[in-house]
């Protein structure tokens, strides 16, 4: 950049201009301006392409079916019961239940006993029905068919068991006394109830 300025010479009667060249100096930076206001929102973009289908997951575990009873049995909880249509001695009733893969019924708790007693109305009024409890091994110590002793809940008729005439060792539901329990001679023939476990088919 150049600048033309007047300059007086040594000669008093003449003036002339001489051109003086000056270099440019860089000034210091200015203060930055404030940010501008945000612009208006743009229009929504177009939907993207759908993604590819995911791969099939692994199959879950197969759940077992519900336990069921053999034909002719009535189910209660996880057990199945069959009510005889004939009468047998205790020993023969036990053998018949074992041949069917089970044993004489064991009403060890009140709920099971109540369920079975409600089924006994199929028999003629006053009928006696064997279940799996005896004191054949030791008089006065009653044991279930699975070998466990009778403890806890019981449902004996008042005054029973009494081992009348020292020949009563097998338990039954006493039809004449509201199907309470009673001890009876094992050689008498009565109806009976068999029990098996419910099984998954």
């Amino acid at each position: 950049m150049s600048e033309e300025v007047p300059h007086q010479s040594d000669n008093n009667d003449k003036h002339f201009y001489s051109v003086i060249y000056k270099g440019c100096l860089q000034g210091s930076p200015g203060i930055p301006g404030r940010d501008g206001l945000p612009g208006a929102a743009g229009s929504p973009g177009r939907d993207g392409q759908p993604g590819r289908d995911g791969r099939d997951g692994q199959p879950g575990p197969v759940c077992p079916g519900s336990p069921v009873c053999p034909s002719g049995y009535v189910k209660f909880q996880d057990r199945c019961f069959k009510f005889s249509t004939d009468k047998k001695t205790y020993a023969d009733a036990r053998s018949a239940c074992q041949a069917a893969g089970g044993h004489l019924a064991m009403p060890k708790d009140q709920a099971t006993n109540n369920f079975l007693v409600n089924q006994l109305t199929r028999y003629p009024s006053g009928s006696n029905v064997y279940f799996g409890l005896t004191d054949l091994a030791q008089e006065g110590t009653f044991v279930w068919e699975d070998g466990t002793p009778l403890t806890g809940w019981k449902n004996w008729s008042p005054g029973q068991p009494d081992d009348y005439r020292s020949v009563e060792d097998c338990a039954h539901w006493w039809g004449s006394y509201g199907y309470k329990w009673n001890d009876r001679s094992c050689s008498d023939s009565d109806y009976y109830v068999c029990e098996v476990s419910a099984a998954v088919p």
Side-chain angles (χ1 to χ4, degrees), residues 146-162:
D146 63 1
T148 58
L150 172 64
T151 57
W153 185 82
K154 308 175 183 66
N155 199 39
W156 295 110
S157 184
Q160 302 301 326
D162 62 356

Side-chain angles (χ1 to χ4, degrees), residues 1-3 19-25:
M1 179 176 180
S2 63
E3 181 182 2
V19 177
I20 300 174
Y21 292 89
K22 294 183 178 180
C24 295
L25 298 177

Side-chain angles (χ1 to χ4, degrees), residues 20-145:
I20 300 174
Y21 292 89
K22 294 183 178 180
C24 295
L25 298 177
Q26 184 176 357
S28 58
I31 299 173
R34 290 180 297 175
D35 293 339
L37 297 174
S43 300
R46 290 180 299 174
D47 293 339
Q49 295 296 319
R52 291 180 296 176
D53 293 338
R55 290 180 297 174
D56 293 337
Q58 296 296 318
V62 177
C63 296
S66 299
V68 297
C69 292
S71 177
Y73 285 74
V74 178
K75 188 171 184 287
F76 179 71
Q77 296 177 347
D78 60 348
R79 289 165 292 166
C80 308
F81 299 94
K82 186 173 184 178
F83 300 84
S84 74
T85 56
D86 61 339
K87 293 183 177 183
K88 295 184 182 295
T89 65
Y90 189 94
D92 288 344
R94 171 191 276 168
S95 295
C97 292
Q98 290 174 343
H103 47 74
L104 283 165
M106 297 184 294
K108 293 184 177 183
D109 56 80
Q110 187 172 0
T112 303
N113 187 77
N114 289 347
F115 172 80
L116 295 174
V117 165
N118 288 335
Q119 301 288 324
L120 300 183
T121 55
R122 68 186 64 212
Y123 297 123
S125 177
S127 295
N128 298 318
V129 185
Y130 280 127
F131 59 90
L133 181 68
T134 76
D135 67 345
L136 286 166
Q138 182 177 343
E139 178 58 39
T141 301
F142 279 85
V143 177
W144 295 104
E145 278 295 298

